[in-house]
């Protein structure tokens, strides 16, 4: 068996307990690769069971040729005697021949690099070794066998621990223990009373925790390493850290800023050493630490595993519990690392200064000025994080703490949305929900499909992945935490603009990654604002968001409807010079407010879906009331009979089933197979009737009445399309249903959309009665010619209705591209008219059980779309009652060429047939819309005719020559036919212009 020289004497066999440390003294000329080879050959050894490889030497203990005069006898944290297996014959060890210490082995007083001896724990093995060291020799007579036997045989007796040495001990120059002092300690240690295990553990718990080492400015500087102070760089690919520092410091053996066998990488500026890793894993003889140790780790691990989706790990524990916080001084703007145990809250982060940090570190004993504390240089790692153009990666990513989004997301795994599972979070209460804006719903509802302008808390949207591909790959959970935090802040108060400063104080996470999160915030806020998730409505952005003067441009908006006003207000709020040219004498377009009629001013307007609807949010901001619109619609025949509810539900189910069959039929088909929607509906309806003769047999109504009920639902479908069903495409009539739609109940805007649009028009430069004739965009500037002269700007947004564009107004020079002209001509312009009546009494509510709307079953197919549905409304301000209905399709054709009085009389006759038991009074006021006859409107809303597709909407929205923009409901594929779609399209074009300026 190979011999091993250990602690100054030779022995044939050692049997160590697994996990204990082995420290070896090397004689002059001993080669590294021969050390501990005997362990690999000894079949009885019990050490190194995990790995039989030779122990790797630490090069800082030796010089290059192993000729150092330093003799290291130190053993750090050696386990107690009863914690190690010792298979050594003490008597034979004492009989061993004395070993001469050569001059090369003697301590040198001239070498300043000689390190003082470490603390020695007196187990029997070390006592024997030390006893043999003297200026000449130490024999067995110098050591009393009885003393050795008393130490080794009595489990309750242990030698006293040697006091830590002062480098200037005795002679004031030598850093080694003198021979006389060592001999006296050997003899005296046998008579010192032993300390019990319990007392030793109590004494150990009172020790001061290891001091946290501050990072050097040469964290990534290769020049910080030398032969006397060797460093080990991080082995992670692309990590620039050459001299890492352990941020953990939870083990007494923590390497700190010195050499370690391995660095564990968290980020380019954050690492922890192998000693701290082994300590948490309970390896290599560690017995725990009262301050931070395995008990804390195991408790955290149990809590994490009970709430988290991912497995617990050492790195996860250190990132979640140990990694230091960072805060930015509100005075100088420098980032400072906070001391361990510093409690971080949003209030502290909003008022943090360098003086607070100096006082916490006891670096000052009196109040200093902020400027004095701010003179301290910023950590070099901060410069590295800030200089990076990409998001600073950290693996695992730190979790956000105290997030205001947490109460909204208690049903999700915390770590799956970037929050800490170790925090106790209470779900938001019903009382708190009532205080929130009911129209801001940023997160998907439970057991409901995702609605438009909402997000799934634990998943990135496709547009987010396309915008932030690096974050989606490196740290998606951290991005989700930031995104959800911003949306929650917006939901708590949609009357205030969500700024970077407001969000920054709520970003509470450990590590340098917080600096990167704060740096990333402007990009995130801009993205969410651009796509309509936050900062919607009548809000004004802060001054910091205003476009600089050197990036300014001028814009002309043609048309003062919902889309034009939305674009103009958005650009104006960012400091862009905007001029709105409106052909009419008032703004608002097809939903303009007429000051001549009380009916038009107070008539309700329908809002299809209120969740995250920008118009609903605008109403909330301006204090305009929204009334929920009930879906319950009782049907009345032309004979005045109410249709039974069971039959109504049966016909409605049949109607929806036929539309589902049409949807299945069109799968895999293209425009060549397109036919009118009514043809396909009738085909499948008749086939269904033939195959299920008894489906309607038990109904109280005849087959003729059943067909009349089906015609009612077809009439309602014509109103939704804005045209007769023989014009609508059977393939693409509902193409927008493939996209996310606004959720929540339908609402009625008290006072109409015109009041909201008037709020948008405030403080804008609007020229009324200005008919635009031509748009010339062939030169650098765009020239707009009108009846009031020429206007010049850098860009133009055209928001005129589709019917006006079909007429070739305005003219474009040069002409529009072919795809644009084809889209204009192929898209359908829906024809709908509205009739509103004002009564002094309510004669309809009693029959329909106080419901808000009721329907008229048409007498025949020729009467489809003829006052099909009536909407009722009561105005508390005037005490008047309103009824509103529409003409569409064949019903509109019946009233073609009629005067307003004749149209109102026809409507009153329909009401009289529905309520024969009542005498219908003459209305106090009435108004009939003339959208189809208005030369500047000409339509109600767009639809997809046979041969067109959803792509037509995208072609309508396409920008020409980067200077000619188009907006309006006919340019929005997701929300066509609505005022909401028109508003969002205007915001879309405004952000196109803003992005072009910001990206210059």
């Amino acid at each position: 068996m190979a011999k091993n020289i250990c602690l100054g004497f030779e022995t044939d066999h050692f049997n160590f307990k697994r996990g204990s440390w082995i420290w070896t003294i090397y004689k002059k000329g001993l080669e590294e690769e021969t050390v501990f080879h005997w362990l690999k050959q000894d079949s009885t050894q019990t050490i190194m069971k995990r790995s039989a490889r030779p122990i790797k030497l630490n090069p800082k203990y030796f010089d290059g040729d192993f000729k150092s005069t330093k003799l290291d006898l130190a053993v750090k944290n050696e386990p107690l005697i009863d914690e190690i297996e010792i298979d050594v014959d003490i008597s034979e060890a004492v009989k061993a021949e004395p070993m001469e210490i050569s001059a090369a082995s003697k301590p040198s007083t001239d070498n300043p690099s000689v390190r003082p001896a470490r603390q020695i724990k007196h187990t029997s093995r070390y006592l024997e070794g030390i006893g043999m060291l003297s200026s000449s020799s130490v024999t067995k007579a110098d050591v009393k066998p009885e003393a050795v036997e008393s130490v080794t045989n009595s489990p309750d007796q242990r030698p006293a621990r040697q006091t830590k040495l002062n480098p200037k001990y005795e002679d004031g120059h030598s850093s080694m223990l003198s021979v006389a002092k060592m001999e006296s300690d050997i003899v005296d240690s046998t008579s010192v009373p032993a300390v019990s295990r319990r007392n030793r553990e109590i004494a150990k718990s009172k020790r001061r925790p290891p001091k946290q080492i501050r990072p050097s400015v040469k964290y990534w500087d290769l020049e910080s390493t030398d032969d006397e102070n060797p460093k080990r760089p991080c082995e992670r690919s692309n990590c620039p850290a050459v001299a890492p520092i352990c941020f953990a410091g939870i083990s007494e053996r923590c390497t700190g800023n010195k050499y370690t066998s391995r660095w564990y990488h968290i980020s380019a500026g954050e690492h922890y050493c192998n000693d701290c890793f082994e300590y948490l894993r309970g390896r290599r003889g560690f017995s725990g630490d009262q301050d931070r140790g395995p008990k804390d780790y195991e408790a955290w691990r149990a809590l994490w595993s009970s709430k988290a989706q991912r497995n617990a790990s050492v790195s996860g524990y250190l990132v979640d519990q140990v990694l230091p916080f960072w805060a930015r001084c509100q005075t100088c703007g420098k980032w400072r690392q906070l001391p361990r145990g510093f409690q971080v809250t949003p209030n502290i982060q909003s008022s943090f200064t360098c003086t607070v940090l100096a006082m916490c570190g006891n670096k000052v004993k009196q109040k200093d000025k902020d400027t004095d504390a701010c003179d301290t240089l910023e950590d070099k790692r901060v410069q590295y994080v800030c200089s990076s153009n990409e998001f600073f990666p950290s693996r695992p990513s730190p979790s956000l703490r105290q997030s205001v989004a947490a109460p909204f997301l208690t049903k999700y795994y915390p770590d799956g949305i970037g929050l800490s599972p170790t925090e106790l979070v209470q779900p938001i209460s019903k009382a708190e929900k009532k205080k929130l804006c009911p129209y801001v719903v940023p997160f998907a509802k439970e057991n409901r499909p995702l609605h438009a302008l909402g997000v799934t808390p634990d998943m990135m949207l496709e547009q987010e992945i396309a915008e932030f591909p690096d974050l989606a790959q490196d740290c998606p959970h951290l991005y989700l935490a930031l995104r959800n935090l911003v949306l929650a802040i917006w939901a708590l108060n949609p009357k205030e603009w969500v700024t970077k400063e407001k969000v920054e104080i709520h970003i509470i996470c450990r590590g340098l990654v917080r600096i990167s999160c704060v740096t990333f915030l402007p990009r995130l806020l801009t993205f969410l604002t651009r796509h309509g998730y936050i900062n919607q409505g009548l809000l004004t952005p802060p001054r910091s968001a205003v476009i600089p003067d050197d990036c300014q441009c001028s814009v002309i908006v043609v048309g003062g409807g919902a889309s034009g006003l939305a674009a103009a207000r958005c650009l104006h709020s960012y400091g862009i010079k905007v001029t709105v040219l409106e052909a009419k004498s008032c703004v608002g377009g097809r939903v303009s407010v007429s000051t001549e009629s009380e009916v038009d001013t107070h008539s309700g307007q329908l809002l299809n879906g209120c969740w995250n609807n920008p118009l609903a949010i605008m109403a909330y901001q301006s204090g305009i009331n929204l009334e929920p619109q009930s879906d319950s619609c009782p049907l009345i025949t032309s004979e005045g009979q109410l249709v039974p509810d069971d039959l109504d539900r049966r016909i409605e189910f049949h109607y929806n089933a036929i539309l589902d069959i049409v949807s299945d039929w069109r799968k895999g088909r293209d425009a060549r197979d397109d036919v009118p929607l009514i043809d396909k509906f009738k085909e499948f309806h008749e086939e269904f009737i033939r195959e299920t003769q008894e489906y309607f047999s038990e109904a109280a109504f005849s087959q003729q009445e059943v067909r009349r009920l089906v015609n009612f639902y077809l009439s309602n479908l014509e109103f939704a399309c804005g045209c007769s069903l023989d014009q609508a495409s059977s393939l693409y009539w509902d193409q927008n249903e493939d996209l996310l739609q606004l959720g929540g109940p339908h609402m009625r805007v008290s006072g109409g959309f015109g009041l909201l649009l008037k709020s948008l028009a405030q403080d804008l430069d609007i020229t009324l009665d200005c008919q635009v004739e031509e748009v010339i965009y062939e030169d650098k500037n765009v020239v707009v010619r009108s009846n009031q002269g020429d206007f010049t700007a850098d860009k133009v947004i055209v928001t005129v209705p589709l019917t006006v564009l079909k007429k070739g107004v305005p003219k474009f020079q040069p002409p529009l591209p072919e795809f644009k002209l084809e889209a204009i001509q192929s898209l359908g312009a829906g024809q709908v008219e509205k009739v509103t009546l004002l009564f002094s009494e309510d004669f309809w509510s009693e029959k329909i059980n106080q419901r808000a709307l009721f329907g008229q079953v048409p007498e025949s197919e020729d009467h489809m779309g003829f006052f099909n549905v009536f909407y009722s409304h009561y105005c508390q301000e005037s005490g008047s009652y309103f009824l509103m209905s529409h003409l569409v399709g064949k019903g509109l054709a019946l009233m073609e060429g009629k005067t307003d009085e004749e149209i109102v009389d026809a409507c009153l006759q329909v009401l009289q047939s529905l309520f024969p038991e009542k005498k219908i009074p003459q209305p106090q006021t009435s108004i009939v819309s003339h959208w189809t006859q208005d030369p500047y409107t000409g339509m109600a809303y767009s639809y997809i005719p046979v041969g067109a597709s959803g792509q037509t909407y995208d072609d309508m929205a396409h920008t020409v020559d980067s200077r000619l923009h188009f907006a309006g409901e006919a340019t929005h594929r997701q929300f066509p036919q609505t005022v909401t779609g028109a508003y969002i399209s205007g915001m879309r074009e405004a952000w196109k212009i803003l992005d072009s300026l910001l990206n210059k």
Side-chain angles (χ1 to χ4, degrees), residues 690-748:
R690 288 194 304 267
E691 295 181 359
T692 59
Q693 291 294 330
E694 298 181 358
Y695 182 76
F696 300 110
S697 62
E698 297 180 359
F701 282 30
S702 63
Q703 292 296 328
Q704 181 180 1
E705 296 298 329
V706 169
R707 284 193 294 269
R708 292 176 60 186
L709 289 175
V710 172
N711 289 336
F712 166 80
Y713 285 101
L714 292 177
S715 299
N716 207 27
L717 184 59
E718 285 187 339
F719 173 68
C721 292
C723 65
S724 176
L725 294 184
D726 56 6
Q727 297 175 314
S729 168
S730 60
L731 291 179
Y732 304 107
W733 68 275
D734 60 345
Q735 56 82 33
N736 61 313
E737 296 294 334
D738 296 334
L739 306 174
L740 295 179
Q741 296 299 300
L742 295 170
H746 301 326
M747 308 295 288
R748 186 205 313 271

Side-chain angles (χ1 to χ4, degrees), residues 427-679:
I428 187 169
S429 63
K430 292 183 178 180
E432 293 173 337
K433 285 183 179 180
K434 292 182 179 179
K435 299 179 182 179
L436 301 178
C437 173
Y439 314 126
V440 179
V441 185
F443 307 114
K445 291 281 188 177
E446 186 180 11
N447 299 326
R448 289 175 178 261
L450 180 62
H451 52 273
L453 300 179
V455 300
T456 304
D458 58 348
M459 186 180 302
M460 294 181 66
L461 301 175
E462 292 183 1
Q463 55 188 355
E464 292 178 308
I465 297 175
E467 184 78 11
F468 311 112
D470 295 337
L471 286 174
Q473 182 177 1
D474 295 335
C475 45
H477 295 101
L478 184 57
Y479 171 82
L480 293 174
L482 293 175
R483 190 267 314 268
N484 296 339
L485 172 64
V486 174
L487 295 180
I489 293 176
W490 167 247
L492 290 174
N493 188 6
K495 291 185 177 181
E496 293 184 3
W497 191 277
V498 179
T499 62
K500 173 187 174 183
E501 293 74 20
K502 185 179 295 185
V503 180
E504 177 181 345
I505 62 175
H506 291 282
I507 300 179
I508 302 178
C509 66
R510 297 180 181 268
L512 289 166
V513 73
R514 181 176 186 267
I515 303 174
S516 192
C517 290
V518 174
T519 307
F520 170 73
L521 264 184
R523 285 185 60 196
L524 177 61
L525 294 177
T526 300
F527 170 81
L528 295 176
T529 303
R530 182 199 306 129
H531 290 86
Y533 292 96
I534 61 173
N535 298 334
Q536 293 298 304
L538 304 175
L539 304 181
T540 301
R543 286 185 172 270
S544 59
V546 175
I547 303 297
D549 294 336
D550 56 348
C551 299
Q552 287 287 357
C553 74
S554 57
V555 179
I556 292 177
V557 177
V558 181
S563 59
L565 294 177
R569 180 178 179 84
C570 179
L571 293 173
H572 175 74
S573 63
Y574 281 92
I576 305 298
K577 181 182 178 181
V578 185
T579 301
V580 180
L581 307 180
E582 170 56 42
K584 294 184 178 182
S585 58
C586 62
V587 297
R590 280 161 276 183
V591 291
S592 60
V593 175
S594 174
T595 57
E596 300 176 357
S597 173
E598 181 186 7
V599 175
D600 194 43
T601 302
H602 294 283
S603 62
Q605 300 290 341
L606 298 181
L607 202 62
N608 296 325
C610 64
W611 289 351
N612 301 328
N613 193 318
L615 297 180
I617 296 174
M618 193 185 306
Y620 177 80
Q621 294 168 346
S622 58
I624 298 177
N625 185 38
L626 296 183
E627 300 175 1
Q629 181 68 45
S630 174
D631 293 333
S632 177
C633 179
L635 302 183
I636 308 175
T637 65
S638 57
E639 293 80 12
Q641 297 180 1
L642 283 170
V643 177
D645 291 341
D646 57 344
L647 179 61
D648 184 15
R649 289 193 298 268
R650 200 168 184 178
I651 300 299
E652 183 181 10
F653 176 82
H654 169 74
Y655 160 79
N656 291 324
I658 298 300
L659 291 181
D660 290 339
I661 295 174
V662 174
S663 298
D664 292 337
W665 164 83
R666 65 190 181 189
K667 292 180 179 178
R669 301 181 183 272
D670 54 22
R672 294 172 298 181
D673 303 319
D674 201 3
V675 295
L677 177 59
I678 189 63
D679 293 348

Side-chain angles (χ1 to χ4, degrees), residues 13-24:
H13 179 71
F14 267 84
N15 198 4
F16 296 92
K17 183 179 179 181
R18 178 182 179 184
S20 63
W21 286 80
I22 301 176
W23 300 85
T24 308

Side-chain angles (χ1 to χ4, degrees), residues 41-189:
Q41 302 172 11
D42 188 359
S43 60
T44 63
Q45 55 91 15
T46 60
I47 191 173
M48 303 296 287
K49 290 183 179 179
R50 289 186 294 108
S51 174
R53 62 183 183 274
I55 292 183
K56 193 170 184 179
L57 301 182
N58 191 332
K60 71 179 181 179
Y61 294 152
F62 312 100
D63 56 20
D65 298 327
F66 295 95
K67 295 180 180 180
S68 174
T69 59
K70 176 174 57 176
L71 186 62
D72 192 349
L73 305 177
V75 176
K76 186 179 181 182
N77 293 339
E78 184 64 19
L80 303 177
I81 294 177
D82 57 347
E83 296 178 353
I84 186 168
E85 301 175 13
I86 300 179
D87 189 10
V88 181
D89 191 343
I90 300 299
S91 61
E92 294 184 4
V94 175
K95 294 178 182 179
E97 292 293 330
M99 181 179 63
E100 293 289 334
I101 299 180
S102 63
S105 302
K106 292 182 179 180
S108 172
T109 60
D110 299 329
N111 189 353
S113 64
V114 173
R115 189 161 50 90
R118 298 181 184 175
Q119 180 180 343
I120 301 175
K121 296 184 178 180
H122 300 311
T123 62
S124 61
R125 180 176 39 171
Y126 303 135
L127 289 174
E128 295 303 319
I130 295 174
M132 292 184 181
L133 297 176
S134 63
S135 60
S136 58
S137 64
V138 180
T139 64
K140 65 180 180 180
D142 297 317
V143 182
K144 298 180 180 181
E146 297 81 4
V148 176
E149 183 178 359
S150 65
V151 173
T152 58
N153 295 337
S154 176
D156 297 329
Q157 298 295 326
R158 294 185 179 86
R161 182 174 298 181
Q162 180 181 329
T163 307
K164 190 174 183 180
L165 301 181
N166 190 314
K168 298 182 179 180
Y169 189 82
E170 290 189 351
D171 58 359
H173 298 284
S174 175
S175 62
M176 301 294 294
L177 186 63
S178 66
V179 174
K181 181 61 179 174
M182 285 193 295
E183 293 178 357
S184 63
D185 285 347
I186 293 172
V187 176
D188 295 341
S189 64

Side-chain angles (χ1 to χ4, degrees), residues 65 172 200 226 300 310 393 402 554 621 648 784:
D65 298 327
R200 289 170 65 91
D226 50 45
W300 171 88
R310 292 173 291 175
Q402 305 178 37
S554 57
Q621 294 168 346
D648 184 15
V784 178

Side-chain angles (χ1 to χ4, degrees), residues 678-694:
I678 189 63
D679 293 348
K680 276 298 171 184
F681 186 93
K682 288 182 177 180
E683 176 185 344
F684 292 122
H685 169 68
E686 294 173 358
E687 182 180 354
F688 179 84
I689 295 296
R690 288 194 304 267
E691 295 181 359
T692 59
Q693 291 294 330
E694 298 181 358

